[in-house]
Short mmCIF file of all heavy atoms in Angstrom, two decimals:
data_model
loop_
_atom_site.label_atom_id
_atom_site.label_comp_id
_atom_site.label_asym_id
_atom_site.label_seq_id
_atom_site.Cartn_x
_atom_site.Cartn_y
_atom_site.Cartn_z
N PRO A 297 3.99 -8.30 3.65
CA PRO A 297 4.05 -9.37 4.66
C PRO A 297 3.57 -8.88 6.02
O PRO A 297 3.61 -7.68 6.31
CB PRO A 297 5.54 -9.73 4.70
CG PRO A 297 6.15 -9.09 3.49
CD PRO A 297 5.31 -7.91 3.16
N ILE A 298 3.13 -9.80 6.86
CA ILE A 298 2.74 -9.44 8.23
C ILE A 298 3.96 -8.88 8.96
O ILE A 298 5.03 -9.51 8.98
CB ILE A 298 2.19 -10.66 8.98
CG1 ILE A 298 0.86 -11.10 8.35
CG2 ILE A 298 1.98 -10.35 10.46
CD1 ILE A 298 0.32 -12.39 8.89
N GLY A 299 3.82 -7.69 9.51
CA GLY A 299 4.94 -7.05 10.19
C GLY A 299 5.61 -5.98 9.35
O GLY A 299 6.55 -5.32 9.81
N ILE A 300 5.11 -5.76 8.12
CA ILE A 300 5.59 -4.66 7.28
C ILE A 300 4.36 -3.88 6.82
O ILE A 300 3.41 -4.46 6.30
CB ILE A 300 6.39 -5.16 6.06
CG1 ILE A 300 7.74 -5.72 6.52
CG2 ILE A 300 6.60 -4.05 5.04
CD1 ILE A 300 8.64 -6.18 5.40
N ASN A 301 4.37 -2.58 7.03
CA ASN A 301 3.25 -1.76 6.60
C ASN A 301 3.10 -1.83 5.09
O ASN A 301 4.09 -1.83 4.35
CB ASN A 301 3.47 -0.31 7.03
CG ASN A 301 2.24 0.55 6.80
OD1 ASN A 301 2.07 1.12 5.74
ND2 ASN A 301 1.39 0.63 7.81
N ALA A 302 1.86 -1.90 4.63
CA ALA A 302 1.60 -2.09 3.20
C ALA A 302 2.31 -1.05 2.34
O ALA A 302 2.81 -1.36 1.25
CB ALA A 302 0.10 -2.05 2.94
N GLY A 303 2.39 0.20 2.83
CA GLY A 303 3.05 1.25 2.06
C GLY A 303 4.49 0.94 1.75
O GLY A 303 5.01 1.32 0.70
N ASN A 304 5.18 0.24 2.67
CA ASN A 304 6.59 -0.05 2.49
C ASN A 304 6.84 -1.26 1.59
O ASN A 304 8.00 -1.62 1.36
CB ASN A 304 7.27 -0.25 3.85
CG ASN A 304 7.37 1.05 4.63
OD1 ASN A 304 7.45 2.12 4.03
ND2 ASN A 304 7.36 0.96 5.94
N THR A 305 5.79 -1.89 1.11
CA THR A 305 5.92 -2.90 0.06
C THR A 305 5.54 -2.30 -1.29
O THR A 305 6.15 -2.61 -2.32
CB THR A 305 5.04 -4.12 0.36
OG1 THR A 305 5.47 -4.72 1.58
CG2 THR A 305 5.15 -5.16 -0.75
N ILE A 306 4.55 -1.41 -1.28
CA ILE A 306 4.10 -0.77 -2.52
C ILE A 306 5.22 0.07 -3.13
O ILE A 306 5.46 0.02 -4.34
CB ILE A 306 2.86 0.10 -2.23
CG1 ILE A 306 1.66 -0.80 -1.90
CG2 ILE A 306 2.54 1.01 -3.41
CD1 ILE A 306 0.47 -0.05 -1.36
N LYS A 307 5.92 0.84 -2.31
CA LYS A 307 6.93 1.78 -2.83
C LYS A 307 8.05 1.09 -3.59
O LYS A 307 8.31 1.43 -4.76
CB LYS A 307 7.49 2.63 -1.70
CG LYS A 307 6.46 3.52 -1.01
CD LYS A 307 7.02 4.06 0.30
CE LYS A 307 5.93 4.42 1.28
NZ LYS A 307 6.44 4.68 2.63
N PRO A 308 8.78 0.11 -2.99
CA PRO A 308 9.87 -0.52 -3.76
C PRO A 308 9.36 -1.32 -4.96
O PRO A 308 10.06 -1.39 -5.99
CB PRO A 308 10.55 -1.43 -2.74
CG PRO A 308 9.58 -1.61 -1.64
CD PRO A 308 8.76 -0.37 -1.61
N THR A 309 8.17 -1.92 -4.87
CA THR A 309 7.61 -2.63 -6.02
C THR A 309 7.34 -1.65 -7.15
O THR A 309 7.60 -1.93 -8.32
CB THR A 309 6.31 -3.36 -5.62
OG1 THR A 309 6.58 -4.26 -4.56
CG2 THR A 309 5.72 -4.13 -6.79
N ASN A 310 6.84 -0.49 -6.80
CA ASN A 310 6.54 0.55 -7.77
C ASN A 310 7.81 1.05 -8.46
O ASN A 310 7.83 1.30 -9.67
CB ASN A 310 5.88 1.72 -7.04
CG ASN A 310 4.92 2.48 -7.91
OD1 ASN A 310 4.08 1.87 -8.57
ND2 ASN A 310 5.01 3.78 -7.92
N LEU A 311 8.87 1.20 -7.69
CA LEU A 311 10.12 1.76 -8.22
C LEU A 311 10.79 0.85 -9.24
O LEU A 311 11.61 1.31 -10.03
CB LEU A 311 11.08 2.06 -7.05
CG LEU A 311 10.75 3.31 -6.25
CD1 LEU A 311 11.42 3.28 -4.89
CD2 LEU A 311 11.16 4.56 -7.02
N PHE A 312 10.45 -0.43 -9.22
CA PHE A 312 11.03 -1.34 -10.21
C PHE A 312 10.59 -0.93 -11.61
O PHE A 312 11.35 -1.03 -12.57
CB PHE A 312 10.61 -2.78 -9.91
CG PHE A 312 11.37 -3.81 -10.69
CD1 PHE A 312 12.66 -4.16 -10.32
CD2 PHE A 312 10.82 -4.41 -11.81
CE1 PHE A 312 13.38 -5.11 -11.03
CE2 PHE A 312 11.53 -5.37 -12.53
CZ PHE A 312 12.81 -5.71 -12.14
N LEU A 313 9.33 -0.47 -11.74
CA LEU A 313 8.84 0.01 -13.03
C LEU A 313 9.64 1.23 -13.48
O LEU A 313 10.12 1.28 -14.62
CB LEU A 313 7.36 0.39 -12.92
CG LEU A 313 6.81 1.33 -14.00
CD1 LEU A 313 6.81 0.65 -15.35
CD2 LEU A 313 5.43 1.83 -13.64
N THR A 314 9.78 2.23 -12.60
CA THR A 314 10.46 3.46 -12.99
C THR A 314 11.97 3.24 -13.19
O THR A 314 12.64 4.09 -13.77
CB THR A 314 10.23 4.56 -11.93
OG1 THR A 314 10.68 4.11 -10.65
CG2 THR A 314 8.75 4.88 -11.84
N MET A 315 12.48 2.11 -12.70
CA MET A 315 13.88 1.77 -12.94
C MET A 315 14.07 1.18 -14.33
O MET A 315 15.06 1.45 -15.01
CB MET A 315 14.37 0.78 -11.88
CG MET A 315 15.84 0.42 -12.00
SD MET A 315 16.43 -0.55 -10.59
CE MET A 315 15.48 -2.06 -10.77
N CYS A 316 13.10 0.38 -14.78
CA CYS A 316 13.22 -0.31 -16.07
C CYS A 316 12.79 0.56 -17.25
O CYS A 316 13.39 0.50 -18.32
CB CYS A 316 12.39 -1.59 -16.06
SG CYS A 316 12.96 -2.84 -14.90
N SER A 317 11.73 1.35 -17.07
CA SER A 317 11.12 2.05 -18.21
C SER A 317 12.03 3.05 -18.93
O SER A 317 11.94 3.19 -20.15
CB SER A 317 9.82 2.74 -17.78
OG SER A 317 10.05 3.63 -16.72
N PRO A 318 12.94 3.78 -18.25
CA PRO A 318 13.74 4.76 -18.99
C PRO A 318 15.00 4.20 -19.65
O PRO A 318 15.68 4.93 -20.38
CB PRO A 318 14.12 5.78 -17.92
CG PRO A 318 14.15 5.02 -16.66
CD PRO A 318 13.18 3.90 -16.79
N ILE A 319 15.31 2.92 -19.44
CA ILE A 319 16.60 2.39 -19.88
C ILE A 319 16.78 2.49 -21.40
O ILE A 319 17.81 2.99 -21.89
CB ILE A 319 16.78 0.93 -19.42
CG1 ILE A 319 16.92 0.88 -17.90
CG2 ILE A 319 17.99 0.29 -20.08
CD1 ILE A 319 16.97 -0.52 -17.32
N THR A 320 15.77 2.03 -22.16
CA THR A 320 15.89 2.02 -23.62
C THR A 320 16.09 3.42 -24.17
O THR A 320 17.00 3.68 -24.97
CB THR A 320 14.64 1.39 -24.26
OG1 THR A 320 14.47 0.08 -23.73
CG2 THR A 320 14.78 1.30 -25.77
N GLY A 321 15.25 4.37 -23.73
CA GLY A 321 15.36 5.74 -24.22
C GLY A 321 16.67 6.38 -23.83
O GLY A 321 17.30 7.09 -24.62
N LEU A 322 17.13 6.10 -22.60
CA LEU A 322 18.38 6.69 -22.13
C LEU A 322 19.57 6.18 -22.94
O LEU A 322 20.46 6.97 -23.32
CB LEU A 322 18.55 6.33 -20.65
CG LEU A 322 19.72 6.99 -19.90
CD1 LEU A 322 19.61 8.50 -19.95
CD2 LEU A 322 19.75 6.51 -18.46
N MET A 323 19.58 4.89 -23.24
CA MET A 323 20.67 4.32 -24.04
C MET A 323 20.69 4.91 -25.44
O MET A 323 21.76 5.16 -26.01
CB MET A 323 20.53 2.81 -24.10
CG MET A 323 20.81 2.10 -22.77
SD MET A 323 20.58 0.32 -22.86
CE MET A 323 21.89 -0.15 -23.99
N THR A 324 19.50 5.16 -26.00
CA THR A 324 19.42 5.76 -27.34
C THR A 324 20.00 7.16 -27.34
O THR A 324 20.78 7.54 -28.23
CB THR A 324 17.95 5.80 -27.81
OG1 THR A 324 17.44 4.48 -27.84
CG2 THR A 324 17.85 6.42 -29.20
N PHE A 325 19.66 7.96 -26.34
CA PHE A 325 20.17 9.33 -26.26
C PHE A 325 21.69 9.34 -26.09
O PHE A 325 22.38 10.17 -26.69
CB PHE A 325 19.51 10.06 -25.09
CG PHE A 325 18.10 10.51 -25.36
CD1 PHE A 325 17.07 10.18 -24.50
CD2 PHE A 325 17.81 11.27 -26.48
CE1 PHE A 325 15.77 10.60 -24.74
CE2 PHE A 325 16.52 11.70 -26.73
CZ PHE A 325 15.49 11.35 -25.86
N ILE A 326 22.21 8.41 -25.28
CA ILE A 326 23.67 8.34 -25.08
C ILE A 326 24.35 7.93 -26.38
O ILE A 326 25.38 8.50 -26.76
CB ILE A 326 24.00 7.36 -23.94
CG1 ILE A 326 23.50 7.93 -22.60
CG2 ILE A 326 25.50 7.10 -23.88
CD1 ILE A 326 23.63 6.96 -21.43
N LYS A 327 23.78 6.95 -27.06
CA LYS A 327 24.35 6.46 -28.32
C LYS A 327 24.36 7.55 -29.39
O LYS A 327 25.30 7.66 -30.18
CB LYS A 327 23.53 5.26 -28.81
CG LYS A 327 24.12 4.58 -30.04
CD LYS A 327 23.28 3.36 -30.41
CE LYS A 327 23.84 2.67 -31.64
NZ LYS A 327 23.00 1.50 -32.03
N GLU A 328 23.32 8.39 -29.40
CA GLU A 328 23.23 9.46 -30.40
C GLU A 328 23.95 10.73 -29.97
O GLU A 328 23.80 11.77 -30.61
CB GLU A 328 21.75 9.77 -30.67
CG GLU A 328 21.00 8.64 -31.37
CD GLU A 328 19.56 9.00 -31.65
OE1 GLU A 328 19.10 10.07 -31.17
OE2 GLU A 328 18.89 8.23 -32.36
N LYS A 329 24.71 10.66 -28.89
CA LYS A 329 25.47 11.80 -28.39
C LYS A 329 24.57 12.99 -28.04
O LYS A 329 24.90 14.15 -28.31
CB LYS A 329 26.53 12.24 -29.44
CG LYS A 329 27.63 11.26 -29.69
CD LYS A 329 28.57 11.21 -28.50
CE LYS A 329 29.72 10.24 -28.72
NZ LYS A 329 30.65 10.25 -27.59
N ARG A 330 23.43 12.70 -27.43
CA ARG A 330 22.48 13.75 -27.07
C ARG A 330 22.36 13.88 -25.55
O ARG A 330 21.39 14.43 -25.04
CB ARG A 330 21.10 13.44 -27.68
CG ARG A 330 21.11 13.47 -29.19
CD ARG A 330 19.78 13.00 -29.77
NE ARG A 330 18.67 13.83 -29.34
CZ ARG A 330 17.40 13.63 -29.72
NH1 ARG A 330 17.12 12.63 -30.54
NH2 ARG A 330 16.44 14.41 -29.28
N PHE A 331 23.37 13.38 -24.86
CA PHE A 331 23.35 13.37 -23.40
C PHE A 331 24.42 14.33 -22.87
O PHE A 331 25.62 14.09 -23.05
CB PHE A 331 23.60 11.95 -22.90
CG PHE A 331 23.35 11.77 -21.43
CD1 PHE A 331 22.07 11.82 -20.92
CD2 PHE A 331 24.40 11.53 -20.56
CE1 PHE A 331 21.83 11.63 -19.56
CE2 PHE A 331 24.17 11.35 -19.21
CZ PHE A 331 22.89 11.40 -18.71
N ALA A 332 23.96 15.42 -22.25
CA ALA A 332 24.89 16.45 -21.76
C ALA A 332 25.45 16.04 -20.39
O ALA A 332 24.85 16.34 -19.35
CB ALA A 332 24.18 17.79 -21.68
N THR A 333 26.59 15.39 -20.38
CA THR A 333 27.17 14.82 -19.16
C THR A 333 27.45 15.85 -18.07
O THR A 333 27.11 15.60 -16.90
CB THR A 333 28.47 14.06 -19.51
OG1 THR A 333 28.21 13.16 -20.56
CG2 THR A 333 28.95 13.27 -18.30
N PRO A 334 28.06 17.01 -18.36
CA PRO A 334 28.35 17.96 -17.27
C PRO A 334 27.10 18.45 -16.54
O PRO A 334 27.18 18.88 -15.40
CB PRO A 334 29.03 19.12 -18.01
CG PRO A 334 29.58 18.52 -19.26
CD PRO A 334 28.58 17.47 -19.66
N VAL A 335 25.95 18.41 -17.23
CA VAL A 335 24.71 18.83 -16.60
C VAL A 335 24.08 17.66 -15.84
O VAL A 335 23.54 17.81 -14.75
CB VAL A 335 23.71 19.34 -17.66
CG1 VAL A 335 22.36 19.68 -17.03
CG2 VAL A 335 24.29 20.56 -18.38
N ALA A 336 24.17 16.46 -16.45
CA ALA A 336 23.50 15.28 -15.90
C ALA A 336 24.18 14.74 -14.65
O ALA A 336 23.50 14.28 -13.72
CB ALA A 336 23.42 14.19 -16.96
N ILE A 337 25.52 14.77 -14.60
CA ILE A 337 26.24 14.15 -13.49
C ILE A 337 25.89 14.77 -12.13
O ILE A 337 25.53 14.07 -11.18
CB ILE A 337 27.76 14.16 -13.74
CG1 ILE A 337 28.10 13.12 -14.83
CG2 ILE A 337 28.52 13.84 -12.46
CD1 ILE A 337 29.56 13.08 -15.21
N PRO A 338 25.95 16.11 -11.97
CA PRO A 338 25.57 16.67 -10.65
C PRO A 338 24.11 16.40 -10.31
O PRO A 338 23.77 16.21 -9.14
CB PRO A 338 25.86 18.16 -10.80
CG PRO A 338 25.95 18.42 -12.25
CD PRO A 338 26.46 17.17 -12.87
N PHE A 339 23.25 16.39 -11.33
CA PHE A 339 21.84 16.10 -11.11
C PHE A 339 21.66 14.68 -10.59
O PHE A 339 20.95 14.43 -9.60
CB PHE A 339 21.08 16.30 -12.42
CG PHE A 339 19.58 16.32 -12.26
CD1 PHE A 339 18.97 17.11 -11.31
CD2 PHE A 339 18.77 15.56 -13.09
CE1 PHE A 339 17.58 17.14 -11.17
CE2 PHE A 339 17.39 15.58 -12.97
CZ PHE A 339 16.79 16.38 -12.00
N ALA A 340 22.34 13.72 -11.24
CA ALA A 340 22.25 12.32 -10.83
C ALA A 340 22.84 12.11 -9.44
O ALA A 340 22.28 11.35 -8.63
CB ALA A 340 22.97 11.43 -11.85
N ILE A 341 23.96 12.79 -9.14
CA ILE A 341 24.58 12.66 -7.81
C ILE A 341 23.61 13.17 -6.73
O ILE A 341 23.42 12.54 -5.68
CB ILE A 341 25.91 13.43 -7.74
CG1 ILE A 341 26.97 12.74 -8.60
CG2 ILE A 341 26.39 13.55 -6.29
CD1 ILE A 341 28.26 13.53 -8.74
N GLY A 342 22.98 14.31 -7.00
CA GLY A 342 22.02 14.86 -6.05
C GLY A 342 20.84 13.93 -5.84
O GLY A 342 20.41 13.70 -4.70
N ILE A 343 20.32 13.39 -6.94
CA ILE A 343 19.16 12.50 -6.85
C ILE A 343 19.49 11.23 -6.08
O ILE A 343 18.74 10.80 -5.20
CB ILE A 343 18.64 12.16 -8.27
CG1 ILE A 343 17.92 13.38 -8.85
CG2 ILE A 343 17.69 10.97 -8.23
CD1 ILE A 343 17.53 13.23 -10.29
N VAL A 344 20.62 10.60 -6.39
CA VAL A 344 21.01 9.38 -5.70
C VAL A 344 21.22 9.65 -4.22
O VAL A 344 20.84 8.84 -3.36
CB VAL A 344 22.28 8.76 -6.34
CG1 VAL A 344 22.82 7.64 -5.47
CG2 VAL A 344 21.97 8.24 -7.73
N THR A 345 21.82 10.80 -3.91
CA THR A 345 22.02 11.17 -2.50
C THR A 345 20.69 11.26 -1.76
O THR A 345 20.51 10.70 -0.68
CB THR A 345 22.77 12.52 -2.40
OG1 THR A 345 24.03 12.41 -3.05
CG2 THR A 345 22.99 12.90 -0.94
N GLY A 346 19.75 11.97 -2.36
CA GLY A 346 18.44 12.11 -1.73
C GLY A 346 17.67 10.81 -1.70
O GLY A 346 17.01 10.49 -0.70
N ALA A 347 17.76 10.05 -2.81
CA ALA A 347 16.97 8.82 -2.94
C ALA A 347 17.53 7.67 -2.12
O ALA A 347 16.80 6.74 -1.77
CB ALA A 347 16.88 8.41 -4.41
N PHE A 348 18.80 7.69 -1.81
CA PHE A 348 19.42 6.58 -1.06
C PHE A 348 19.53 6.90 0.43
O PHE A 348 19.12 6.10 1.27
CB PHE A 348 20.79 6.25 -1.63
CG PHE A 348 21.44 5.06 -0.96
CD1 PHE A 348 21.16 3.78 -1.38
CD2 PHE A 348 22.33 5.22 0.10
CE1 PHE A 348 21.75 2.66 -0.77
CE2 PHE A 348 22.91 4.14 0.72
CZ PHE A 348 22.62 2.85 0.27
N PHE A 349 20.04 8.06 0.75
CA PHE A 349 20.36 8.34 2.15
C PHE A 349 19.21 8.97 2.94
O PHE A 349 19.16 8.83 4.16
CB PHE A 349 21.57 9.28 2.23
CG PHE A 349 22.85 8.66 1.76
CD1 PHE A 349 23.37 8.96 0.51
CD2 PHE A 349 23.53 7.76 2.56
CE1 PHE A 349 24.56 8.38 0.07
CE2 PHE A 349 24.71 7.17 2.13
CZ PHE A 349 25.23 7.48 0.88
N ILE A 350 18.29 9.66 2.27
CA ILE A 350 17.29 10.44 3.01
C ILE A 350 15.87 9.93 2.81
O ILE A 350 15.16 9.64 3.78
CB ILE A 350 17.38 11.94 2.61
CG1 ILE A 350 18.81 12.45 2.77
CG2 ILE A 350 16.40 12.76 3.45
CD1 ILE A 350 19.03 13.85 2.22
N GLY A 351 15.42 9.82 1.56
CA GLY A 351 14.02 9.51 1.26
C GLY A 351 13.48 8.23 1.86
O GLY A 351 12.51 8.27 2.64
N PRO A 352 14.05 7.06 1.53
CA PRO A 352 13.49 5.80 2.03
C PRO A 352 13.44 5.67 3.56
O PRO A 352 12.42 5.23 4.09
CB PRO A 352 14.41 4.74 1.40
CG PRO A 352 14.88 5.39 0.15
CD PRO A 352 15.07 6.83 0.50
N PRO A 353 14.51 6.03 4.31
CA PRO A 353 14.39 5.91 5.78
C PRO A 353 13.28 6.79 6.36
O PRO A 353 12.55 6.36 7.24
CB PRO A 353 15.77 6.37 6.28
CG PRO A 353 16.69 6.12 5.14
CD PRO A 353 15.90 6.41 3.91
N LEU A 354 13.15 8.02 5.83
CA LEU A 354 12.08 8.90 6.30
C LEU A 354 10.71 8.34 5.92
O LEU A 354 9.77 8.34 6.72
CB LEU A 354 12.25 10.31 5.71
CG LEU A 354 13.38 11.17 6.27
CD1 LEU A 354 13.45 12.49 5.52
CD2 LEU A 354 13.17 11.43 7.76
N SER A 355 10.61 7.87 4.71
CA SER A 355 9.34 7.33 4.22
C SER A 355 8.91 6.10 5.00
O SER A 355 7.74 5.96 5.37
CB SER A 355 9.45 7.00 2.73
OG SER A 355 8.24 6.50 2.23
N ALA A 356 9.87 5.19 5.23
CA ALA A 356 9.54 3.95 5.95
C ALA A 356 9.05 4.25 7.37
O ALA A 356 8.19 3.54 7.89
CB ALA A 356 10.77 3.04 6.01
N LYS A 357 9.55 5.32 7.95
CA LYS A 357 9.18 5.65 9.33
C LYS A 357 7.88 6.45 9.41
O LYS A 357 7.02 6.17 10.24
CB LYS A 357 10.31 6.44 9.99
CG LYS A 357 10.04 6.76 11.47
CD LYS A 357 11.25 7.45 12.11
CE LYS A 357 10.99 7.72 13.58
NZ LYS A 357 12.17 8.39 14.22
N TYR A 358 7.72 7.44 8.52
CA TYR A 358 6.61 8.38 8.66
C TYR A 358 5.50 8.21 7.62
O TYR A 358 4.37 8.62 7.87
CB TYR A 358 7.14 9.82 8.58
CG TYR A 358 8.09 10.17 9.71
CD1 TYR A 358 9.45 10.34 9.47
CD2 TYR A 358 7.61 10.35 11.00
CE1 TYR A 358 10.32 10.66 10.50
CE2 TYR A 358 8.48 10.67 12.04
CZ TYR A 358 9.83 10.83 11.78
OH TYR A 358 10.68 11.14 12.81
N LEU A 359 5.82 7.66 6.46
CA LEU A 359 4.83 7.61 5.37
C LEU A 359 4.25 6.21 5.26
O LEU A 359 4.46 5.50 4.29
CB LEU A 359 5.48 8.04 4.05
CG LEU A 359 4.55 8.67 3.01
CD1 LEU A 359 3.94 9.96 3.55
CD2 LEU A 359 5.31 8.97 1.73
N ASN A 360 3.49 5.80 6.32
CA ASN A 360 2.81 4.52 6.24
C ASN A 360 1.67 4.63 5.24
O ASN A 360 1.41 5.69 4.69
CB ASN A 360 2.32 4.07 7.61
CG ASN A 360 1.41 5.09 8.27
OD1 ASN A 360 0.37 5.43 7.74
ND2 ASN A 360 1.81 5.58 9.44
N LEU A 361 0.96 3.54 5.00
CA LEU A 361 -0.03 3.51 3.91
C LEU A 361 -1.08 4.61 4.05
O LEU A 361 -1.47 5.23 3.06
CB LEU A 361 -0.70 2.14 3.83
CG LEU A 361 -1.69 1.99 2.67
CD1 LEU A 361 -1.01 2.17 1.33
CD2 LEU A 361 -2.40 0.65 2.73
#
Side-chain angles (χ1 to χ4, degrees):
I298 293 172
I300 289 182
N301 189 271
N304 290 332
T305 298
I306 291 169
K307 297 166 205 168
T309 302
N310 210 49
L311 283 161
F312 192 78
L313 160 67
T314 58
M315 183 171 66
C316 295
S317 57
I319 292 175
T320 303
L322 187 59
M323 290 178 66
T324 300
F325 283 127
I326 293 173
K327 186 177 179 181
E328 292 181 352
K329 293 288 181 178
R330 295 173 60 179
F331 190 70
T333 309
V335 176
I337 287 178
F339 192 49
I341 290 173
I343 286 172
V344 170
T345 301
F348 184 85
F349 292 103
I350 306 172
L354 286 177
S355 181
K357 184 175 182 180
Y358 296 109
L359 208 62
N360 56 60
L361 183 61

